[in-house]
Amino acid sequence: MGRLLALSLLGIALALLGERFLALRNRLKASREVESVDLPNCHLIKGIEAGAEDIDILPNGLAFFSVGLKCPSLHSFAPDKPGGILMMDLNEENPRALELRISRGFNLALFNPHGISTFIDSDDTVYLFVVNHPEFKNTVEIFKFEEEENSLLHLKTIKHELLPSVNDIIAVGPEHFYATNDHYFSDPFLKYLETYLNLHWTNVVYYSPNEVKVVAEGFDSANGINISPDKKYIYVADILAHEIHVLEKQPNMNLTQLKVLKLDTLVDNLSIDPSSGDILVGCHPNGQKLFVYDPKNPPSSEVLRIQNILSEKPTVTTVYANNGSVLQGSSVASVYDKKLLIGTLYHRALYCEL
Ligand SMILES: *[C@@H]1O[C@H](CO)[C@@H](O)[C@H](O)[C@H]1NC(C)=O
Ligand SMILES: *[C@@H]1O[C@H](CO)[C@@H](O)[C@H](O)[C@H]1NC(C)=O
Ligand SMILES: *[C@@H]1O[C@H](CO)[C@@H](O)[C@H](O)[C@H]1NC(C)=O
Ligand SMILES: [Ca+2]
Ligand SMILES: [Ca+2]
């Protein structure tokens, strides 16, 4: 509770100064506009009208989407509908998104899915990990994917005091994952204050049935997380610091920081191009427009590709950018076999042939 008292005192002192407000505008990149970068062969995906916060694609081309995320601080186009998990087979000529059935015994009415990650076990069982915010609480749900039945069998709900505000996860075993906490607190007011004050208290936690520990900390707002194809490195997006951190995985699952890549945009989800190891980043060029929704001046979208992140000079390319006329608030981009999927926080999803 020492931190709580310190925070209250700090809050009172600093709220009197306007300096943090200007800093926050800068962290949100509130004045940035995008130059559009179009891709020739794109269409909006049918059935996704209210966000596809996360996308994960299996090596066989089956893509999972988490849809219908609701946060108290975010606009929603579907306030009354619970979230769900959609699947799309990218091997099909005209792939369509289908909703997966979820086994009984799981509280679907409160399903509020956020980040997702898949793990394929040595016996080929596919596990889907889903960050869930039932009634704005924080859990990680583990499902087994049953492909023949197009369904998800719920196996386990994980709650832990070190997982107070989970944003994204990367599964590294059947019940093992790294998770980012995008806030230190779970209380909405304290969350707001901690972000406003730029405390850098957010972290990455390793979870396993035997051990749960903080493995990296000091992020402004840790967000997307992913792993390199050789499983040696963990990438973490710090959304409000406009950075991607490269961390090296140790045998005891601790992470050591290797490098930080600075970008000019709010980096949300990270995905890996399995063919090249490139990182694809769903970005918010202007965070202010994202949090204060104005249909006449909607949030824009931006997808970056980062090549050779471990090298001295990684190459950063803008793959797609749009002022919101087509796609608003891109949060993730994923590729499979020259097909690109772009998901958004609360808008639609785009399918492009590269
Ligand atoms: C995208 O970001 C959301 C939350 O901001 C996260 O839950 C999800 O896992 C991310 N997607 C990927 C591919 O990492
Ligand atoms: C690494 O992990 C060990 C045990 O798992 C823990 O005791 C230690 O504090 C960690 N070190 C760092 C630097 O996080
Ligand atoms: C976005 O760009 C399109 C043309 O590319 C333009 O017609 C439209 O007015 C722009 N919208 C905003 C909100 O700037
Ligand atoms: Ca994810
Ligand atoms: Ca995210």
Side-chain angles (χ1 to χ4, degrees):
M1 276 299 106
R3 282 193 169 193
L4 195 60
L5 181 62
L7 180 65
S8 312
L9 293 173
L10 255 174
I12 292 161
L14 290 173
L16 294 170
L17 302 167
E19 166 252 333
R20 291 278 152 159
F21 177 70
L22 291 173
L24 184 63
R25 278 186 56 86
N26 189 24
R27 285 156 71 215
L28 288 172
K29 297 221 152 274
S31 53
R32 188 171 162 220
E33 301 291 338
V34 288
E35 295 272 333
S36 76
V37 174
D38 283 325
L39 283 169
N41 298 305
C42 293
H43 66 261
L44 294 163
I45 299 172
K46 277 209 192 82
I48 302 181
E49 267 86 43
E53 223 270 347
D54 202 5
I55 301 173
D56 206 359
I57 308 178
L58 292 176
N60 65 6
L62 290 181
F64 295 95
F65 296 79
S66 85
V67 298
L69 171 72
K70 283 171 276 297
C71 301
S73 59
L74 274 186
H75 176 80
S76 172
F77 285 117
D80 301 323
K81 209 169 160 277
I85 302 293
L86 308 187
M87 198 190 67
M88 186 161 154
D89 185 349
L90 299 179
N91 303 296
E92 287 174 9
E93 189 77 19
N94 289 303
R96 289 182 315 139
L98 297 173
E99 181 151 8
L100 292 176
R101 218 162 42 77
I102 295 184
S103 64
R104 268 188 267 177
F106 177 70
N107 192 338
L108 270 179
L110 296 183
F111 195 30
N112 193 10
H114 197 177
I116 60 176
S117 180
T118 51
F119 181 79
I120 306 176
D121 213 349
S122 47
D123 63 1
D124 288 336
T125 304
V126 175
Y127 296 96
L128 180 71
F129 291 60
V130 182
V131 176
N132 187 14
H133 300 297
E135 297 174 315
F136 307 124
K137 295 187 183 79
N138 286 269
T139 62
V140 174
E141 312 292 345
I142 304 180
F143 298 94
K144 182 175 163 209
F145 174 51
E146 304 192 306
E147 191 174 345
E148 297 75 40
E149 287 95 51
N150 282 329
S151 71
L152 294 169
L153 177 66
H154 185 249
L155 300 177
K156 194 171 178 181
T157 296
I158 293 166
K159 267 187 241 174
H160 196 277
E161 59 182 10
L162 288 182
L163 300 170
S165 186
V166 187
N167 188 290
D168 199 8
I169 43 178
I170 177 74
V172 292
E175 296 180 73
H176 310 63
F177 58 87
Y178 288 102
T180 52
N181 282 302
D182 54 18
H183 291 84
Y184 176 84
F185 293 104
S186 51
D187 174 82
F189 174 70
L190 294 177
K191 273 188 179 184
Y192 173 78
L193 206 58
E194 108 177 70
T195 300
Y196 188 75
L197 298 177
N198 197 0
L199 296 181
H200 284 253
W201 284 357
T202 79
N203 61 18
V204 179
V205 166
Y206 172 69
Y207 179 95
S208 72
N210 302 324
E211 187 182 29
V212 187
K213 58 184 177 181
V214 173
V215 287
E217 56 194 339
F219 302 93
D220 182 342
S221 188
N223 203 294
I225 186 166
N226 220 310
I227 194 166
S228 61
D230 62 12
K231 314 284 181 208
K232 285 187 184 160
Y233 304 102
I234 297 287
Y235 307 128
V236 175
D238 188 334
I239 186 166
L240 290 176
H242 323 131
E243 292 169 350
I244 295 177
H245 292 240
V246 181
L247 305 142
E248 190 168 13
K249 201 163 132 261
Q250 304 300 327
N252 69 358
M253 306 309 271
N254 281 6
L255 298 177
T256 48
Q257 173 135 329
L258 216 59
K259 69 185 290 183
V260 178
L261 182 68
K262 267 270 174 211
L263 297 162
D264 186 36
T265 184
L266 280 71
V267 284
D268 196 334
N269 278 323
L270 306 176
S271 78
I272 309 299
D273 181 342
S275 63
S276 58
D278 295 351
I279 304 174
L280 281 133
V281 198
C283 304
H284 308 291
N286 183 320
Q288 176 106 337
K289 293 189 193 180
L290 193 68
F291 294 111
V292 186
Y293 188 76
D294 172 3
K296 289 196 240 39
N297 187 13
S300 40
S301 288
E302 183 174 47
V303 174
L304 302 180
R305 178 186 286 273
I306 298 163
Q307 292 167 284
N308 303 314
I309 191 154
L310 293 173
S311 73
E312 241 165 70
K313 275 215 174 291
T315 313
V316 181
T317 329
T318 306
V319 178
Y320 176 82
N322 177 263
N323 68 5
S325 57
V326 176
L327 199 67
Q328 304 177 4
S330 55
S331 61
V332 60
S334 248
V335 279
Y336 171 79
D337 190 23
K338 307 239 173 258
K339 289 154 192 152
L340 172 71
L341 298 171
I342 308 174
T344 62
L345 273 182
Y346 44 69
H347 193 234
R348 308 194 61 177
L350 200 65
Y351 171 89
C352 303
E353 313 242 349
L354 295 177

